[in-house]
């Protein structure tokens, strides 16, 4: 590892000067680079942005802040309404924790988000990254939220060779040395913006970077060699069956998935377990609480989650009288339900 000759504070000054002129002002959760931030909006944005792109988050963020403009409004929301509003954004445990966290802040802390990381960490759904982001961005407190952009920018600037993200504390240590007094939020957002708009993963635009003359990775001519990553593990493929169960009156069976587990609490079609070892259609139908004439569709639904690929065969079942319990929805109205993406792919086969 090679230390830049430029002092950390000079690097920070260059970064903040760049940020004042070139920082992003088109994000829904901030009006302009630099300036005060509402802790509620910072928290909501950071939860939504976990594993999700800015472009995907913006419409959801706008909808949530219109529907529930502050933490007390969200604390009073019906969890099912919040889950419906979240549908399509993925990682649904975040939505359930969102309501719990809003209730904890509203009921136990008079609607005020704590300032310090250790207090924020006691709230549902807030991990070390989000705690650091709220402390820094909402309160200008001394914290460095280390996300993918920050890892990329600082590992390049300092040519840090530790494997990422496993060693992101190393990056946090370098960031801490650069923290400007009272402007931790501007510093964090500036790092994030530099990573998002200049120091991009594949084609960093070093000519537009305030650190062009200071950056060790650039000087080595190997900017994209950083961050150093562990070899990727192959994702396994799980298989299963989904059921389009239709009554004679044109209604289709939906179910609410259990709160715990993948897509917890979301609405979807009945499915078998998703497992690496495939079962055939006959076995799949035999385990279900409904009966009727069934037919296997030719199409397979493919979807990728963080840790695995999913292949779902689809079976259409025409049930007769005495239908099983469940949520019955007119077939033409299924697309208007708040379904997670994989379920939408199933319904698309019938529209
Ligand atoms: Fe990234 Fe290039 Fe700037 Fe270094 S000089 S931080 S590689 S954009």
């Amino acid at each position: 590892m090679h230390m830049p000759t430029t002092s950390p504070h000079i690097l920070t000054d260059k970064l903040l000067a760049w940020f004042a002129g070139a920082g992003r002002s088109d994000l829904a959760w901030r009006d302009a680079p630099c300036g005060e931030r509402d802790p509620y909006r910072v928290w909501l944005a950071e939860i939504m942005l976990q594993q999700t792109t800015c472009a995907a988050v913006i419409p959801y963020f706008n909808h949530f802040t219109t529907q529930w403009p502050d933490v007390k409004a969200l604390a009073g929301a019906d969890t099912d309404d919040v889950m419906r509003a979240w549908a399509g954004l993925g990682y649904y445990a975040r939505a359930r924790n969102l309501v719990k966290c809003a209730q904890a802040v509203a009921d136990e802390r008079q609607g005020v988000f704590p300032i310090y990381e250790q207090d924020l960490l006691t709230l549902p759904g807030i991990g070390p990254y989000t705690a650091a982001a709220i402390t820094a961005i909402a309160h200008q407190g001394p914290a460095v939220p280390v996300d993918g952009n920050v890892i990329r920018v600082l590992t390049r600037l300092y040519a840090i060779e530790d494997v990422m993200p496993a060693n992101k504390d190393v990056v946090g240590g370098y960031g801490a040395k650069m923290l400007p007094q009272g402007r931790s939020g501007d510093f964090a957002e500036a790092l994030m913006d530099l990573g998002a708009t200049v120091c991009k993963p594949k084609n960093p635009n070093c000519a537009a970077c305030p650190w062009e003359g200071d950056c060790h990775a650039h000087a080595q001519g190997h900017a994209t060699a950083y961050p150093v990553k562990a070899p990727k593990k192959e994702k396994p493929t799980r298989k299963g069956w989904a059921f389009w169960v239709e009554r004679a009156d044109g209604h289709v069976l939906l179910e609410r998935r259990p709160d715990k587990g993948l897509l917890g609490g979301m609405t979807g079609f009945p499915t078998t377990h998703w497992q690496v070892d495939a079962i055939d259609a006959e076995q799949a139908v035999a385990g279900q609480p409904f009966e009727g004439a069934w037919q296997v569709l030719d199409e397979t639904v493919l979807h990728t989650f963080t840790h695995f690929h999913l292949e779902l065969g689809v079976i259409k079942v025409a049930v007769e009288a005495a239908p099983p319990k469940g949520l019955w929805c007119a077939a033409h109205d299924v697309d208007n339900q708040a379904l997670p993406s994989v379920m939408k792919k199933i319904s698309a086969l019938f529209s």
Side-chain angles (χ1 to χ4, degrees), residues 66-126:
T66 304
Q67 184 94 4
W68 300 291
D70 56 38
V71 72
K72 288 187 177 164
L74 187 57
D78 185 284
T79 304
D80 285 343
D81 288 343
V82 174
M83 298 301 284
R84 265 193 290 280
W86 192 276
L89 205 49
Y91 303 97
Y92 295 94
R94 292 183 297 173
R96 281 193 301 281
N97 279 328
L98 205 63
V99 179
K100 287 187 200 152
C101 182
Q103 287 167 346
V105 172
D107 298 345
E108 296 158 24
R109 297 174 178 272
Q110 293 77 48
V112 179
F113 277 87
I115 295 175
Y116 299 107
E117 289 170 89
Q118 66 268 29
D119 297 328
L120 286 158
L121 284 168
T122 64
L123 293 168
I126 295 192

Side-chain angles (χ1 to χ4, degrees), residues 168-244:
K168 65 181 175 185
D169 286 354
V170 175
V171 170
Y174 279 90
K177 289 199 181 102
M178 299 171 73
L179 265 185
Q181 186 77 25
R183 291 193 64 190
S184 306
D186 293 341
F187 176 68
E189 290 184 339
L191 284 177
M192 292 169 186
D193 284 13
L194 190 70
T197 63
V198 175
C199 193
K200 294 186 176 186
K202 290 206 179 111
N203 295 305
N205 182 5
C206 300
C209 180
W211 293 333
E212 188 189 9
D214 310 294
C215 174
H216 278 253
H218 176 60
Q220 291 171 1
H222 292 301
T224 54
Y226 301 91
V228 176
K229 291 187 180 149
K232 273 200 177 156
K233 278 193 202 150
E234 273 288 299
K235 280 187 195 188
T237 297
R238 295 187 194 170
K239 296 178 182 173
W241 295 91
F243 300 94
W244 177 274

Side-chain angles (χ1 to χ4, degrees), residues 2 11 15 31 48 60 74 86-87 141 149 155 213 298 316 345:
H2 318 271
L11 291 169
L15 177 69
D31 306 327
M48 288 184 164
Y60 285 88
L74 187 57
W86 192 276
N149 283 323
T155 54
D298 288 336
K316 181 177 175 182
K345 291 181 182 175

Side-chain angles (χ1 to χ4, degrees), residues 98 154 165 280:
L98 205 63
L154 291 184
D280 64 27

